Amino acid sequence: MLAIRIARHLLSIAAIVLLGAFLSAVLVRSAPGFDTDEEQLDPRLSAASVSALRESHRQEHGLFRFYLSYLGHSLRGDLGVSRSLGQPVRGLLRDRVPATFRVVVTGLALGWLLALALGLTAALARTTAYDHATLIASGIFLCLPAAALALLSVLLNSPGYLGIALIVFPKVFRYMRNLLAKAYSLPHICTARAKGLSELRILGFHVLPVVAPELLALAGVSVSVAVGAAIPIETLCGIAGVGQLAWQAAIGRDLPLLVNITVLVTLVTLSANLGADVIGHILRSEGA
Amino acid sequence: MIRSLSSAFLLIVALFALFAGPLAPAHYTTQFREIPNAAPSRQHLMGTDDIGRDRFSRLLYGTRISLLLAPAAALLSTVLAALIGGLAGYLGGVWARCAMGFVDLFLSLPWLFLLIMVRGLLPLDISPVVSILITFLLLAILGWAASARILCAGASTLRQSGFLLQARASGISGIRLFAVHVLPNLRPILLAQFWISIPVFILSEANLGMLGLGVAEPMPSWGSLLREMEGMLSLSDGPWKLAPLVLLILVVSCFELALTKQEFAL
Amino acid sequence: MTRHPLAKSLLIGLALFCVASNFAFAEKELRFCLRTEPKNFNPLQTSNEAEETIRYLTGGVLVRVNRQNQELEPELAESWKISSDGRQISFKLRTGVNFSDGTAFSAADVAYTMQQLMDPALHSPTGDAFRSGSGTVTAKVLSPDHVTITFPAPVAGLERLFDQVAILSSQSPKKEGAVLGPFYVADYKAGASVLLKRNANYWKKDSQGRQLPYLDAIHLDIQPNRDIELLHFRRGELDLINSLDSEYFDRLAAVSPTLVHDAGPSLDAEEMWFNEVARAPIPGYKRIWFRSTNFRRAIAQSINYEDLSRVVFKGHAQPAAGPVSPANKFWFNEKLKPYAYDPESALKLLAQDGFHLQNGVLQDKDGNSVEFSIITNAGNSYRERMAVLIQQDLQKIGIKVSVATLDFPSLIERITQSFNYDAAILGLTNVDLDPNGQMNVWLSSSENHQWNPSEKSPETAWEAEIDRLMRAQASAIDPPKRKESFDRVQAIVMEQAPFIYLVNKNALSAVSASVQGALPVILRPQTYWNADRLTLSTGAR
């Protein structure tokens, strides 16, 4: 039953988010450099100031206490204060989520568009030369470092989203192409062709439905890939989004900010995959 | 024909890398400090880098490391993905749900801090070989999650397929069923995972260099050579500097062309 | 057409007016980048470069160090006097000056600012620079334009410290939003940009009586990526790059040589030091090496500094001769010379401590091969390259060096808390000319005494001597006496080599052709130190 399935998913999402928040706090706290602050190297600071700086980090030492207080506060809407930027986390996220949302969604859409264009035309054309050409083209973008892609997207005046699109498209394309190729080799395609069905009809009714579950899973995973790509792309392009914030938080070992960003990323990842699962279930039950 | 050409190319590159010692015109550490950033010449086929080291020699030595370790790490991550994702999908039910929950969590955690922690625990004067081995091992362990989901979906579909029912009916079960009847049908996804991981790991290794992991100076790797490209704002800065990128693209393409048996059936 | 001559002339007049107004009223907005994000806009709490930039452009100060000739000039204070014991300074203030929101400026504001600055809970570098001894700092308002500030102990270089103190209003409801500088913060988009607008109430006028600043606004982009900053500059979207990397300098110079400026050696130095901490978790024999003056001097003689300047900085640096750069004309000890590259002499020095070469590998007197690691911060390509060149140089005398780049927090943890490192390469950024700002580097009891922080008592005779000399120069008022003490400190540092000074970097900058009045110098801020007199030629963009 769809309703029970969704309820179960939501419960597991909550559990995973809570666990993720805790584990990320553990990771940040255990990594070396947690107690440090770049400012303490300033020779003008007196000894009292340096020890005051160190003291300010001590309050986050007790991990369980921090986590429980964080949970308590967040239930009331207070997500804590960022240590490296000195501002409330809620305000920071509210200001930056729209920018990242725009960049990631546009990048994902463009990446999928490119992948579908190449993948479907390769499936329809079915010539070896075109197949190889598309694979090499996607290979080129796979090999370009994020810095080069970011620079390219700035040069072409499409900051951010082009970079993310070019990171997402080769990976999506490669999986899609392999899945389609496998589907085309199944025996029922031969039968369909023998019956005289057009290529487009075969693609739409006999190939895509076969690979739909994997493509949906791929869609869910591509969201993770895009969100992960947002961090270097936003930082390199100078876009004021959550990705850039995440990088600054990582460098500053900003525990409150990092825990909140992990929660956000976990929610997005889980929702994307839940969405893919639900659509897959609907399609399967319709098909059956 | 294409397949044999690509395999031949890969073999030639591997041989060049293997015999980097005798083939390289200079050791990869030798600094020709009088001619930093030199253009290609007879003594230096690809010119010199920012501190005067011969680029061609560094490319040969770097190939040795990256060409050997990146595919190995890619293989390891593919195996991990197959085991976790494929098995979860094959078993279905609560196993699949738990495994996929684990995968989603894995994808969301900030693993950067684990890497920083590992660097903190390792001694500073660790041998470059051990450092690079640990790096690629870490990359493999952290890189399997994305395809695990797709494998799970694929294995789930197969679980309900006709031929599997038939195999079960004829008495095959358990590991044999999974290994012989499910995994080979997941091959398109596994191959895609393998092929994508190679350049991703090579590029990631360069980024890990920023944390002190990866290859330590002065040893080169493709990743560190690619990072040198970062300051290039235009091709006119020296198109020969793109050689590591071009080689990476060619090698990655050849891997794909050599390995893919599945072409769109005509 | 001639049927409606009035309409026609009206139309032409309107068109001309539009054209003229475009030229006359075009917003003169200067654009450049901040490399980091400002965390707060309180000028008393500036801790990073972005905040210092905003403070410089918005804050009104009592006295200003002229960045060009390094002399002290009156600003909001017309004159000042320091008492003979160095503990008191009195300022005669300018009258008729208002804050940006119209609130009047008076001595009460100076007293208020000092009270805020010296609040023990504040912990700012600016405030700490005034803390010469324990006790409270009192500010007495003698009249609306006369204020006296008394310190518990003499403060060395007292008057120059006021260049960093931006005066806040004690009465304005806008608090730090009311400023006395040429610009005020009009808008801040977190992570993206800061917009400064012209302060219409700025007190300064030029020699023709025209009110400064000439610019209408300054737009600061927050852009940590230097490649993209350069790209924007080349496209004309930025007007200046305040500190340019040497490889970008050469690239720009090849295309547009008139836009780049090399002002000569700056105050900044790059240095390397060894871990001499007694309780460091390193092998005992390494600790013995690093604590031996002969060993450190030998290393200093085995590094080819000319190569570092030429290869890493493309000639835009020079070998350093101690903690003070020759650009600091008054304080630099001219008798000091950089270490000469002399590996044979280095080996002789090492032989005195029992080191010897065995099959090309240097070994100590107990047969341990001399190997150590150098750490530096990732992302700084100069330091990474210097480390690789030094690695190669030291290999020639049989020492095996491994290089590790670490992320900054891990690096700081190693050099300040765990002391789990052998050697480190970092840079010193000097904002001040006065060496008193470096007091905490030289005092052996201090946390910033990098090679051996927080010593309970000086562990060597020369460190005790440095402690004595630094305290002497801090309590002396007479500049030549202070210089005598500090010259001696510099000489001891070069002799004992606790820091091995590598290079002094040049101050490189780029200014676009549309900016008028820019005079790049070495003191920060290099290009916009005279921001109130800069202007843009319209149409040249």
Side-chain angles (χ1 to χ4, degrees):
Chain A
M1 290 266 297
L2 191 61
I4 298 179
R5 205 185 170 91
I6 291 184
R8 207 161 44 184
H9 270 290
L10 287 173
L11 212 63
S12 57
I13 285 181
I16 293 172
V17 166
L18 287 174
L19 186 61
F22 183 70
L23 287 176
S24 68
V26 170
L27 279 172
V28 174
R29 173 70 188 87
S30 328
F34 181 70
D35 272 340
T36 62
D37 209 317
E38 202 172 318
E39 288 170 28
Q40 74 190 73
L41 290 182
D42 190 332
R44 294 172 294 173
L45 284 177
S46 67
S49 300
V50 174
S51 38
L53 261 177
R54 292 241 182 104
E55 270 309 306
S56 67
H57 299 174
R58 217 142 277 173
Q59 41 180 279
E60 283 159 7
H61 270 216
L63 211 55
F64 279 107
R65 200 177 35 178
F66 165 78
Y67 183 65
L68 289 171
S69 107
Y70 164 72
L71 280 182
H73 285 283
S74 55
L75 282 174
R76 279 173 275 162
D78 169 22
L79 297 176
V81 177
S82 153
R83 220 212 302 149
S84 57
L85 293 174
Q87 292 169 41
V89 173
R90 190 166 163 188
L92 281 171
L93 288 179
R94 189 189 48 219
D95 291 335
R96 285 163 183 259
V97 162
T100 302
F101 182 77
R102 267 197 307 272
V103 161
V104 167
V105 168
T106 319
L108 256 182
L110 186 59
W112 268 90
L113 207 66
L114 282 168
L116 280 170
L118 281 185
L120 295 177
T121 50
L124 288 171
R126 284 183 296 120
T127 52
T128 322
Y130 188 70
D131 191 29
H132 289 324
T134 52
L135 283 167
I136 293 176
S138 65
I140 291 175
F141 288 106
L142 203 55
C143 297
L144 281 175
L149 290 172
L151 205 57
L152 190 67
S153 77
V154 169
L155 273 171
L156 294 175
N157 276 324
S158 44
Y161 63 85
L162 184 63
I164 293 190
L166 292 174
I167 289 177
V168 165
F169 133 73
K171 298 177 179 144
V172 168
F173 171 71
R174 187 47 168 139
Y175 281 110
M176 185 192 297
R177 181 248 169 232
N178 278 17
L179 287 168
L180 289 175
K182 175 79 162 84
Y184 265 97
S185 71
L186 290 172
H188 70 277
I189 303 298
C190 207
T191 320
R193 276 213 192 97
K195 282 197 178 162
L197 289 172
S198 74
E199 281 307 323
L200 208 57
R201 226 183 140 80
I202 291 178
L203 181 63
F205 289 99
H206 298 274
V207 172
L208 283 178
V210 170
V211 295
E214 286 104 321
L215 281 183
L216 282 168
L218 181 61
V221 163
S222 67
V223 173
S224 282
V225 171
V227 167
I231 298 177
I233 293 287
E234 279 183 16
T235 311
L236 292 164
C237 290
I239 298 173
V242 178
Q244 189 199 60
L245 195 64
W247 183 242
Q248 281 173 339
I251 293 183
R253 304 287 199 273
D254 192 335
L255 188 58
L257 200 50
L258 282 167
V259 168
N260 279 295
I261 292 179
T262 305
V263 166
L264 190 63
V265 169
T266 314
L267 277 171
V268 169
T269 309
L270 290 172
S271 315
N273 288 324
L274 169 66
D277 276 349
V278 165
I279 297 176
H281 181 81
I282 293 176
L283 286 176
R284 257 199 296 274
S285 52
E286 268 182 19
Chain B
M1 217 267 289
I2 289 281
R3 284 188 66 202
S4 29
L5 269 177
S6 352
S7 312
F9 181 77
L10 282 177
L11 199 63
I12 294 173
V13 172
L15 282 172
F16 259 83
L18 210 61
F19 294 106
L23 282 172
H27 194 255
Y28 62 83
T29 57
T30 315
Q31 298 165 4
F32 298 93
R33 294 187 187 174
E34 305 307 312
I35 41 167
N37 248 321
S41 63
R42 234 199 319 235
Q43 293 88 14
H44 304 283
L45 289 172
M46 286 184 192
T48 58
D49 69 3
D50 287 324
I51 55 179
R53 295 177 294 197
D54 183 60
R55 280 185 201 268
F56 181 60
S57 311
R58 286 179 67 78
L59 189 60
L60 282 178
Y61 280 97
T63 307
R64 203 193 268 185
I65 295 166
S66 304
L67 197 58
L68 180 63
L69 289 176
L75 188 64
L76 179 60
S77 88
T78 308
V79 166
L80 281 172
L83 286 175
I84 300 178
L87 211 55
Y90 167 68
L91 294 170
V94 71
W95 290 108
R97 278 201 299 279
C98 283
M100 288 308 104
F102 173 65
V103 165
D104 288 340
L105 186 62
F106 200 89
L107 283 171
S108 315
L109 289 176
W111 292 113
L112 177 71
F113 295 98
L114 177 70
L115 297 168
I116 295 176
M117 214 184 332
V118 169
R119 172 70 259 189
L121 294 171
L122 293 172
L124 282 173
D125 55 1
I126 195 175
S127 108
V129 174
V130 176
S131 164
I132 188 96
L133 277 173
I134 292 180
T135 305
F136 275 105
L137 186 67
L138 283 170
L139 284 173
I141 293 174
L142 297 174
W144 58 268
S147 69
R149 262 210 163 255
I150 310 173
L151 284 166
C152 183
S156 276
T157 329
L158 285 171
R159 196 160 47 95
Q160 287 133 8
S161 65
F163 76 91
L164 211 63
L165 270 164
Q166 197 176 28
R168 238 193 229 121
S170 41
I172 309 173
S173 67
I175 290 294
R176 180 122 183 257
L177 194 63
F178 178 69
V180 176
H181 294 272
V182 175
L183 270 186
N185 285 298
L186 292 174
R187 209 209 320 248
I189 309 175
L190 292 171
L191 275 178
Q193 154 84 344
F194 177 73
W195 184 78
I196 290 173
S197 300
I198 297 174
V200 167
F201 287 172
I202 289 176
L203 292 174
S204 304
E205 183 270 317
N207 291 331
L208 290 187
M210 304 251 308
L211 301 173
L213 288 166
V215 136
E217 283 283 7
M219 199 181 266
S221 71
W222 276 350
S224 63
L225 293 174
L226 283 168
R227 257 189 72 207
E228 284 171 21
M229 263 176 54
E230 260 169 42
M232 263 182 77
L233 281 183
S234 64
L235 282 176
S236 59
D237 279 341
W240 55 88
K241 293 186 197 174
L242 291 175
L245 179 65
V246 171
L247 186 62
L248 176 63
I249 294 173
L250 283 174
V251 164
V252 159
S253 306
C254 286
F255 255 111
E256 184 281 314
L257 292 170
L259 289 171
T260 319
K261 281 195 285 203
Q262 209 90 55
E263 280 142 11
F264 285 103
L266 282 158
Chain C
M1 260 305 191
T2 47
R3 232 184 300 172
H4 300 278
L6 186 62
K8 181 178 172 187
S9 24
L10 271 177
L11 269 170
I12 294 176
L14 193 64
L16 279 173
F17 177 77
C18 286
V19 169
S21 62
N22 249 335
F23 274 95
F25 298 130
E27 267 251 320
K28 294 203 178 128
E29 188 185 76
L30 187 73
R31 301 182 69 117
F32 60 95
C33 286
L34 294 172
R35 296 241 173 95
T36 49
E37 175 120 20
K39 285 186 244 176
N40 70 75
F41 289 98
N42 183 348
L44 301 180
Q45 269 188 313
T46 51
S47 54
N48 66 29
E49 205 179 323
E51 291 163 12
E52 282 177 11
T53 301
I54 294 174
R55 179 181 70 186
Y56 187 87
L57 293 169
T58 60
V61 294
L62 295 176
V63 293
R64 179 62 91 197
V65 172
N66 182 312
R67 276 15 186 202
Q68 202 178 19
N69 57 31
Q70 301 181 8
E71 299 288 320
L72 207 56
E73 286 175 350
E75 276 276 305
L76 287 168
E78 285 178 343
S79 64
W80 58 93
K81 205 164 78 113
I82 301 183
S83 66
S84 50
D85 63 357
R87 287 178 47 212
Q88 200 178 68
I89 185 167
S90 64
F91 291 101
K92 168 98 173 49
L93 305 172
R94 224 171 274 273
T95 48
V97 176
N98 290 330
F99 282 85
S100 52
D101 66 344
T103 325
F105 161 69
S106 74
D109 300 314
V110 177
Y112 170 73
T113 305
M114 283 313 288
Q115 184 207 29
Q116 296 288 66
L117 187 65
M118 302 315 290
D119 182 356
L122 190 64
H123 299 303
S124 85
T126 322
D128 282 352
F130 285 100
R131 275 182 229 285
S132 52
S134 53
T136 43
V137 174
T138 48
K140 208 151 79 164
V141 175
L142 299 171
S143 70
D145 63 347
H146 205 139
V147 63
T148 306
I149 307 171
T150 315
F151 295 89
V155 179
L158 179 55
E159 67 268 29
R160 292 180 90 99
L161 288 174
F162 283 92
D163 171 273
Q164 308 280 312
V165 180
I167 305 298
L168 297 176
S169 169
S170 55
Q171 295 161 350
S172 164
K174 278 192 175 180
K175 301 209 179 284
E176 54 241 22
V179 296
L180 289 164
F183 301 93
Y184 68 93
V185 179
D187 188 29
Y188 167 55
K189 290 197 185 67
S193 63
V194 179
L195 181 66
L196 303 176
K197 279 218 165 107
R198 182 175 192 275
N199 176 6
N201 281 328
Y202 189 47
W203 60 272
K204 229 190 253 188
K205 292 186 169 43
D206 68 4
S207 46
Q208 272 100 36
R210 231 170 37 169
Q211 197 187 15
L212 298 177
Y214 300 136
L215 290 169
D216 294 311
I218 297 184
H219 183 110
L220 302 166
D221 270 327
I222 299 174
Q223 178 56 267
N225 187 334
R226 298 184 189 201
D227 285 327
I228 297 191
E229 186 186 22
L230 187 68
L231 190 71
H232 285 313
F233 180 79
R234 279 166 95 163
R235 279 189 184 168
E237 290 153 21
L238 290 178
D239 296 304
L240 50 93
I241 300 181
N242 199 41
S243 74
L244 199 51
D245 287 352
S246 30
E247 48 196 352
Y248 295 156
F249 181 95
D250 289 339
R251 230 182 280 168
L252 258 184
V255 175
S256 353
T258 48
L259 299 185
V260 292
H261 303 269
D262 182 344
S266 68
L267 299 178
D268 299 340
E270 297 286 316
E271 66 219 13
M272 178 172 129
W273 73 88
F274 288 98
N275 183 0
E276 297 184 46
V277 176
R279 60 187 189 283
I282 57 175
Y285 57 85
K286 279 196 184 175
R287 205 181 352 262
I288 297 175
W289 303 341
F290 302 154
R291 294 184 128 204
S292 148
T293 304
N294 281 342
F295 179 83
R296 295 193 303 268
R297 287 175 65 93
I299 301 286
Q301 287 177 353
S302 310
I303 297 175
N304 191 330
Y305 304 98
E306 291 291 343
D307 277 357
L308 290 178
S309 309
R310 189 176 47 84
V311 174
V312 175
F313 293 93
K314 316 265 186 294
H316 299 291
Q318 59 183 51
V324 178
S325 154
N328 193 342
K329 298 187 185 69
F330 180 71
W331 291 103
F332 176 60
N333 183 345
E334 300 86 25
K335 297 204 191 71
L336 295 177
K337 296 269 170 296
Y339 269 96
Y341 175 55
D342 193 350
E344 285 92 37
S345 174
L347 283 169
K348 285 201 193 87
L349 208 57
L350 286 167
Q352 284 179 24
D353 271 11
F355 291 93
H356 55 275
L357 275 173
Q358 185 100 331
N359 299 328
V361 174
L362 191 72
Q363 289 180 351
D364 69 2
K365 58 182 171 13
D366 299 319
N368 299 304
S369 303
V370 180
E371 293 178 7
F372 60 85
S373 60
I374 299 179
I375 57 175
T376 188
N377 63 312
N380 187 320
S381 60
Y382 295 133
R383 287 186 198 141
E384 292 174 29
R385 287 186 209 139
M386 281 198 288
V388 178
L389 258 73
I390 292 174
Q391 186 186 41
Q392 191 77 331
D393 283 339
L394 293 179
Q395 197 186 46
K396 295 198 177 95
I397 59 167
I399 298 181
K400 178 158 169 276
V401 170
S402 43
V403 176
T405 54
L406 301 174
D407 63 303
F408 213 36
S410 302
L411 182 82
I412 297 177
E413 167 153 335
R414 280 180 191 264
I415 64 177
T416 61
Q417 286 173 26
S418 64
F419 303 111
N420 187 357
Y421 72 103
D422 292 335
I425 292 180
L426 272 185
L428 197 63
T429 308
N430 281 317
V431 173
D432 248 340
L433 291 166
D434 194 313
N436 207 48
Q438 288 180 38
M439 183 71 125
N440 283 322
V441 175
W442 301 118
L443 281 182
S444 57
S445 53
S446 149
E447 300 232 7
N448 269 307
H449 189 69
Q450 297 309 2
W451 69 92
N452 194 351
S454 309
E455 294 174 42
K456 290 201 177 58
S457 63
E459 291 179 18
T460 58
W462 56 272
E463 281 175 286
E465 178 66 5
I466 291 183
D467 280 358
R468 188 189 68 76
L469 288 164
M470 284 307 288
R471 292 210 175 89
Q473 69 82 32
S475 52
I477 315 296
D478 185 32
K481 274 218 179 65
R482 290 184 63 206
K483 180 165 165 67
E484 207 184 297
S485 301
F486 192 64
D487 272 359
R488 184 82 196 101
V489 170
Q490 294 176 60
I492 296 177
V493 169
M494 280 304 271
E495 261 166 47
Q496 300 291 335
F499 284 123
I500 297 174
Y501 289 95
L502 302 172
V503 296
N504 286 122
K505 298 186 287 193
N506 283 8
L508 306 172
S509 53
V511 180
S512 94
S514 55
V515 177
Q516 315 274 310
L519 296 158
V521 294
I522 54 165
L523 285 183
R524 286 188 168 78
Q526 293 98 309
T527 48
Y528 55 88
W529 60 274
N530 55 349
D532 50 8
R533 288 175 202 274
L534 291 178
T535 187
L536 290 166
S537 60
T538 47
R541 235 185 251 248

